Amino acid sequence: MNNLLNNRGFLEAPGFVLLLLMAIMIGVQAVVWQKRLQDTRAHHKQVLCLKKTILQTNQLIARVNSVNRMLSAGKVSQGIALFFPGTGWLLALNWEKAKKILMGLQEAAFLNYEKNAIQQRLSGCQFHLEPTLSPYKHKLFFSRKLDVAQLRKNKLSWRQVTPLMSFNVSMNLISPLERQATWRIE
Amino acid sequence: MSQILFFALWVSAFSSLLATQHFIHQKHVEAMKDDITRFETEWKKLESINAKV
C-alpha cells in the first residue's frame, strides 16, 4: 500500500478525469440555466402579449359600444326631430351624414385593432384571436358587407402555450348588443 | 512538504471550478431578478391602462 502511494503520479489520470468531468458538468449547468432563462423570458413575453391582447380587445369593445350608444341616441333624436318642421328636419337630414361619420369611426376602431393584432403577431406573440374581428366580411375587398355570423359570435376560446405553462383563455361577450366581455384564464 | 503542496494544488483546482459555478449561479439569479422586475413594471403599466378603459 505504502509502495503504491509513493508511486509518482498515481493520482494524475483519475484526477484529470475528475477535473474534466466537473468542468463538463459546469458547462452543462451553464447551458441548462441559459435555456431556462430563455424559456422564462419567452413565458413572460407571451403572458404580456396576452395581457395586451385583452386590453386592446376591451378597448375595441368599449369604443364600438360607445359609438353604438351614440348611434342609437342619434336615431331616437332624429325620430323626435321629425316632429319639428324647419330646424328639426334639417337636423334629421344631417343625421345621415353624422351616422356615416360615426360608422366610419367604428370601422376605424376595428381597423386599428387589426393593425395592432398584426403588429403583435409580427413581434412574435402567439395571438390566437382572429385578427379580423370586424363584423364585415373579409376577403371581400372594397366592399362593406356585414357578416351576420361574425356579429352573432359572442364566445372565443383558445389555448395559450408558453414554454413554462399552458392555460385556457376564453372570452365571453355577455350579449352581442351590450358587448361587454368577461375573460377567464384557467 | 510535497504532499502539502499536492493538497494545495487540488484545493486550488477545485475551488476555481466551484468559483466558476458560483459565478454562473450568481449571473443566472441576477438575470432572473432583472427579468421579473421588468415583467412586473410592464404588467403594472398595462394594468393602469386597462383600468382607464
Side-chain angles (χ1 to χ4, degrees), chain B residues 9 12-13 26 41 50:
Chain B
L9 190 74
S12 64
Q26 283 300 315
T41 48
N50 210 354

Side-chain angles (χ1 to χ4, degrees), chain A residues 64-77:
Chain A
V64 169
N65 195 20
S66 68
V67 175
N68 269 343
R69 275 189 202 151
M70 281 190 251
L71 281 168
S72 54
K75 200 179 176 186
V76 171
S77 46

Side-chain angles (χ1 to χ4, degrees), chain A residues 23-82:
Chain A
I24 289 167
M25 276 162 72
I26 287 167
V28 168
Q29 195 182 26
V31 169
V32 166
W33 277 347
Q34 185 64 23
K35 176 82 177 57
R36 206 178 144 74
L37 208 60
Q38 281 173 355
D39 283 358
T40 314
R41 278 180 188 156
H43 172 75
H44 284 171
K45 186 181 176 173
Q46 292 307 323
V47 169
L48 287 173
C49 283
L50 177 63
K51 184 89 179 157
K52 214 169 183 177
T53 304
I54 291 171
L55 166 65
Q56 284 171 357
T57 312
N58 282 344
Q59 260 174 349
L60 172 76
I61 290 164
R63 278 181 194 165
V64 169
N65 195 20
S66 68
V67 175
N68 269 343
R69 275 189 202 151
M70 281 190 251
L71 281 168
S72 54
K75 200 179 176 186
V76 171
S77 46
Q78 181 249 16
I80 293 164
L82 280 176

Side-chain angles (χ1 to χ4, degrees), chain A:
Chain A
M1 192 61 188
N2 197 27
N3 196 22
L4 187 71
L5 283 174
N6 284 335
N7 196 354
R8 189 186 284 260
F10 78 104
L11 268 178
E12 272 177 14
F16 178 70
V17 169
L18 202 63
L19 274 173
L20 201 70
L21 274 175
M22 279 193 81
I24 289 167
M25 276 162 72
I26 287 167
V28 168
Q29 195 182 26
V31 169
V32 166
W33 277 347
Q34 185 64 23
K35 176 82 177 57
R36 206 178 144 74
L37 208 60
Q38 281 173 355
D39 283 358
T40 314
R41 278 180 188 156
H43 172 75
H44 284 171
K45 186 181 176 173
Q46 292 307 323
V47 169
L48 287 173
C49 283
L50 177 63
K51 184 89 179 157
K52 214 169 183 177
T53 304
I54 291 171
L55 166 65
Q56 284 171 357
T57 312
N58 282 344
Q59 260 174 349
L60 172 76
I61 290 164
R63 278 181 194 165
V64 169
N65 195 20
S66 68
V67 175
N68 269 343
R69 275 189 202 151
M70 281 190 251
L71 281 168
S72 54
K75 200 179 176 186
V76 171
S77 46
Q78 181 249 16
I80 293 164
L82 280 176
F83 289 99
F84 300 95
T87 327
W89 288 357
L90 278 175
L91 276 174
L93 282 172
N94 279 323
W95 164 240
E96 288 303 314
K97 284 182 198 165
K99 200 168 94 178
K100 268 180 191 157
I101 290 164
L102 287 175
M103 284 168 84
L105 275 177
Q106 234 172 19
E107 204 173 336
F110 279 119
L111 287 175
N112 189 42
Y113 179 80
E114 286 170 21
K115 188 204 78 187
N116 285 334
I118 289 161
Q119 268 181 353
Q120 279 209 66
R121 264 199 190 170
L122 287 174
S123 68
C125 289
Q126 289 179 6
F127 189 70
H128 297 272
L129 276 178
E130 290 251 348
T132 48
L133 257 188
S134 67
Y136 301 105
K137 276 184 181 170
H138 30 281
K139 292 174 185 167
L140 282 177
F141 302 110
F142 309 115
S143 65
R144 292 177 192 164
K145 218 171 178 189
L146 275 179
D147 192 348
V148 182
Q150 197 77 9
L151 265 181
R152 281 191 189 147
K153 202 180 274 182
N154 67 338
K155 267 178 199 166
L156 277 168
S157 63
W158 69 92
R159 194 145 185 89
Q160 188 86 21
V161 180
T162 72
L164 301 185
M165 281 174 77
S166 82
F167 35 85
N168 280 327
V169 183
S170 56
M171 185 194 78
N172 194 16
L173 292 166
I174 293 161
S175 80
L177 284 175
E178 273 301 317
R179 296 270 149 188
Q180 283 180 336
T182 48
W183 294 86
R184 278 169 69 91
I185 297 164
E186 49 202 7

